[in-house]
Amino acid sequence: MDILVISAGLSQPSSTRMLADRLADAATRHLGNHDQQATVTMVELRDLAVDVTTKMISQHTSPELEKVLDHVRHADALIVSSPIFNASMSGLFKMFFDLVDPDDLVGTPVLLGATGGTPRHSLALEHALRPMFSHLRALTVPTAVYAATDDWGADSTLGARIDRAGADLAAVLVRSPRPERVDPYEEVTPFSTLLGG
């Protein structure tokens, strides 16, 4: 199975990347429990920020960005992680997914993760990220993980939440292979038929 991990962390090191890594580890571990192997590829959007912006304003797609968008199109699952700013996903994260073709994520399982400085932003997963992926007709797994700054401490439940989210993604992948996409333009109706002639 091919799992693509997309992190929109801006700093280095980044807690957003750290969360993405831990979610990927949990998912692959649980897939292993089902005798399934996964290849995990990490993409840091910070490295593509100029390419994403250029595509938004000029429609020019760099080879690096095209490669990532093609990977999104063909991945068996996505794990995404965004920092939360002003109670929503980062602008870079949103711009990247604005470039994804609306049909490319149909039926794709997506595990949602986000980080922020305070627990007050935890609902951003439900009112910002999940609706966007639902609009793209992706299959968001039930457990999403938000990690505030204090969650990285030893007494946190973060590890258990990450493990549950990884188990959710593995269960979806094992039970429901991604459906084949149907190209709506594969069989074109002749114009004369459309006109009734």
Side-chain angles (χ1 to χ4, degrees):
M1 298 205 182
D2 178 22
I3 298 176
L4 179 60
V5 184
I6 298 176
S7 169
L10 299 177
S11 59
Q12 193 173 19
S14 160
S15 61
T16 304
R17 165 67 189 266
M18 192 167 18
L19 177 60
D21 286 335
R22 290 186 62 185
L23 289 168
D25 289 345
T28 55
R29 186 174 65 254
H30 283 284
L31 280 169
N33 294 341
H34 294 283
D35 296 321
Q36 298 287 328
Q37 298 293 320
T39 300
V40 176
T41 304
M42 171 63 71
V43 172
E44 293 215 49
L45 293 183
R46 179 173 53 91
D47 298 334
L48 293 169
V50 172
D51 295 342
V52 168
T53 305
T54 300
K55 172 70 173 171
M56 290 293 286
I57 62 176
S58 73
Q59 296 306 306
H60 169 74
T61 308
S62 70
E64 295 81 8
L65 180 58
E66 183 57 47
K67 182 179 176 183
V68 174
L69 291 172
D70 187 61
H71 200 158
V72 168
R73 203 172 292 127
H74 295 101
D76 293 307
L78 298 184
I79 296 173
V80 300
S81 183
S82 174
I84 300 300
F85 300 123
N86 297 323
S88 190
M89 67 194 91
S90 75
L92 178 59
F93 185 86
K94 178 65 167 70
M95 279 200 314
F96 175 78
F97 282 100
D98 283 345
L99 299 178
V100 173
D101 186 282
D103 293 326
D104 284 351
L105 287 179
V106 175
T108 303
V110 179
L111 195 167
L112 305 174
T115 58
T118 169
R120 290 184 307 133
H121 295 306
S122 62
L123 286 178
L125 283 163
E126 303 304 327
H127 73 69
L129 274 75
R130 197 177 299 276
M132 181 184 76
F133 285 103
S134 294
H135 173 76
L136 292 170
R137 293 173 290 159
L139 178 63
T140 56
V141 299
T143 304
V145 179
Y146 176 82
T149 301
D150 291 344
D151 286 326
W152 297 100
D155 297 332
S156 168
T157 63
L158 180 60
R161 289 183 283 134
I162 288 171
D163 187 67
R164 185 169 62 237
D168 281 357
L169 181 61
V172 169
L173 284 170
V174 169
R175 292 182 195 142
S176 313
R178 184 174 175 180
E180 286 294 319
R181 287 191 182 83
V182 176
D183 183 355
Y185 302 106
E186 190 173 333
E187 295 184 19
V188 178
T189 305
F191 195 61
S192 60
T193 303
L194 292 173
L195 293 175

